[in-house]
């Protein structure tokens, strides 16, 4: 399976990190030069999806989308049905090489397989499909942020290119947020346990691999005035709790469950 790594020219340290990670799991990769938002502030003037309302996407967020678009463009020209895309701050599990070596384990009809965990609660279907080597696949039912690592079909890459030809969204909203209508009817799986995670979430890697998007995103969010938390009345909090109970009952009946996706343990290079 072709593996692509998005990397900024000004981040050679992250490229060195990814070389070490891929060497450790015994898999080859191809570097894709990332679009640098710092060099293209004009990106903020491009049209963005109306769902963001007053929040202005940062140039780095838009550049991130265009970097993923560059990867999708490569994959649609490739003969393979699936390809894997990674950002340059991920850490692989010990068994990552076994799954990235080929795509035979991917279920027929899968459009996207999310390989990473963001260590936040999400929702998956209870029906399990074995991926081998201790991994399982579950249909992803709710937004799970992050585009640090995922597998995408050639057709879905083509669809995403068309969906973002004239409008900007954040990459993870586009790919993994059901609120967006860009992927109607698409089949998205979550790998459990996750095959990778961004270094910012791992204590041993956090200092060396901080998020390059978070600080600018938070600045834009604060400037929009949307970051101010409003104190909710007791009645509103009560309604929220009742709503959560109702959602739990509905999820149970629909065979869905809320969970935090664990990370398969990082370890020595596969044998």
């Amino acid at each position: 399976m072709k593996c692509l790594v998005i990397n900024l020219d000004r981040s050679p340290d992250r490229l060195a990190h990814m070389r070490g990670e891929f060497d450790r799991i015994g898999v080859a990769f191809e570097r894709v030069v990332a679009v640098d938002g710092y060099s293209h502030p004009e990106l903020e003037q491009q049209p963005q999806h109306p769902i963001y309302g007053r929040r202005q996407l940062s140039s780095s967020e838009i550049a991130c989308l265009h970097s993923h678009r560059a990867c999708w463009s490569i994959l649609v020209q490739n003969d393979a049905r699936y390809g894997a895309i990674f950002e340059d701050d991920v850490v692989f599990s010990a068994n990552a090489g076994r799954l990235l070596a080929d795509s035979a384990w991917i279920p027929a009809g899968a459009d996207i397989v999310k390989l990473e965990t963001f260590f936040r609660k999400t929702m998956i279907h209870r029906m399990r499909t074995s991926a081998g080597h201790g991994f399982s696949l579950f249909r992803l039912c709710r937004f799970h942020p992050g585009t640090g690592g995922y597998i995408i079909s050639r057709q879905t890459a083509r669809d995403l290119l068309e969906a973002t030809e004239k409008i900007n969204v954040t990459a993870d909203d586009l790919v993994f947020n059901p609120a967006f209508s860009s992927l109607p009817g698409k089949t998205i799986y979550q790998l459990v346990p996750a095959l990778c995670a961004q270094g910012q979430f791992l204590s041993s890697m956090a200092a060396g691999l901080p998020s390059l998007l978070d600080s600018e995103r938070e600045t834009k969010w604060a400037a929009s005035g949307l970051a101010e938390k409003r104190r909710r009345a007791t009645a509103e909090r009560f309604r929220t709790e009742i709503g959560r109970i109702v959602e739990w009952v509905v999820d149970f009946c629909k065979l869905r469950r809320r969970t935090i996706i664990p990370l398969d343990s990082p370890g020595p290079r596969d044998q």
Side-chain angles (χ1 to χ4, degrees):
M1 189 185 327
K2 181 183 284 291
C3 294
L4 305 177
V5 172
I6 298 170
N7 172 251
L8 289 164
D9 282 337
R10 58 182 169 89
S11 297
D13 54 331
R14 291 175 178 246
L15 180 58
H17 160 73
M18 292 307 297
R19 285 199 182 103
E21 285 297 297
F22 275 95
D23 284 347
R24 180 168 63 85
I25 63 173
V27 174
F29 75 93
E30 177 181 329
R31 177 180 181 251
V32 176
V33 178
V35 178
D36 195 336
Y38 287 176
S39 302
H40 297 280
E42 73 279 2
L43 290 175
E44 293 186 9
Q45 306 306 314
Q46 294 183 354
Q48 67 180 42
H49 197 287
I51 198 171
Y52 295 112
R54 288 189 296 151
R55 184 172 93 81
Q56 177 67 45
L57 296 180
S58 69
S59 59
S60 292
E61 286 178 301
I62 298 172
C64 180
L65 170 67
H66 285 275
S67 298
H68 282 269
R69 280 177 53 85
C71 293
W72 302 334
S73 296
I74 292 172
L75 294 180
V76 298
Q77 299 174 40
N78 192 44
D79 292 334
R81 186 178 179 188
Y82 291 99
I85 298 173
F86 298 97
E87 294 174 353
D88 62 4
D89 59 348
V90 299
V91 176
F92 288 125
S93 77
N95 294 306
R98 295 189 174 101
L99 292 189
L100 295 179
D102 69 84
S103 60
W105 55 272
I106 301 175
D111 296 301
I112 296 173
V113 178
K114 187 173 180 65
L115 302 175
E116 73 169 318
T117 177
F118 221 67
F119 298 104
R120 293 184 187 177
K121 272 194 175 181
T122 187
M123 185 183 295
I124 58 177
H125 199 276
R126 292 179 182 272
M127 186 175 296
R128 169 185 173 275
T129 300
S130 175
H133 308 292
F135 292 93
S136 298
L137 291 159
F138 298 85
R139 289 286 298 272
L140 187 62
C141 303
R142 183 161 292 183
F143 180 47
H144 185 189
T147 47
Y150 61 98
I151 290 171
I152 186 169
S153 72
R154 186 173 64 247
Q155 180 58 52
T156 302
R158 184 177 292 110
D159 293 342
L160 290 180
L161 283 170
E162 293 177 359
T164 54
E165 188 174 0
K166 296 181 180 179
I167 198 164
N168 288 307
V169 300
T170 64
D172 54 357
D173 272 337
L174 176 70
V175 180
F176 296 115
N177 192 343
F180 287 81
S181 58
S182 56
L183 292 174
K186 295 298 184 183
T187 302
I188 303 175
Y189 284 93
Q190 170 70 55
L191 188 69
V192 181
L195 178 149
C196 62
Q198 295 179 27
Q200 63 172 315
F201 298 120
L202 306 177
S203 58
S204 61
M205 308 292 295
L209 295 170
S211 171
L212 297 181
L213 287 179
D214 283 352
S215 59
E216 189 175 355
R217 179 187 288 130
E218 289 171 4
T219 299
K220 289 290 183 181
W221 185 260
S224 70
L226 298 174
E228 298 180 6
K229 293 184 178 180
R230 293 176 298 177
R231 184 175 299 174
R232 295 184 298 169
T234 301
E236 183 180 351
R237 292 198 299 270
F238 178 76
R239 287 194 298 270
T240 299
E241 291 304 316
I242 292 297
R244 287 175 180 169
I245 294 173
V246 172
E247 284 185 358
W248 184 90
V249 173
V250 171
D251 293 339
F252 182 82
C253 294
K254 291 187 175 182
L255 299 178
R256 302 182 304 199
R257 65 185 176 97
R258 299 167 189 265
T259 186
I260 295 176
I261 307 300
L263 173 66
D264 186 42
S265 177
R269 179 174 174 170
D270 293 339
Q271 300 298 321

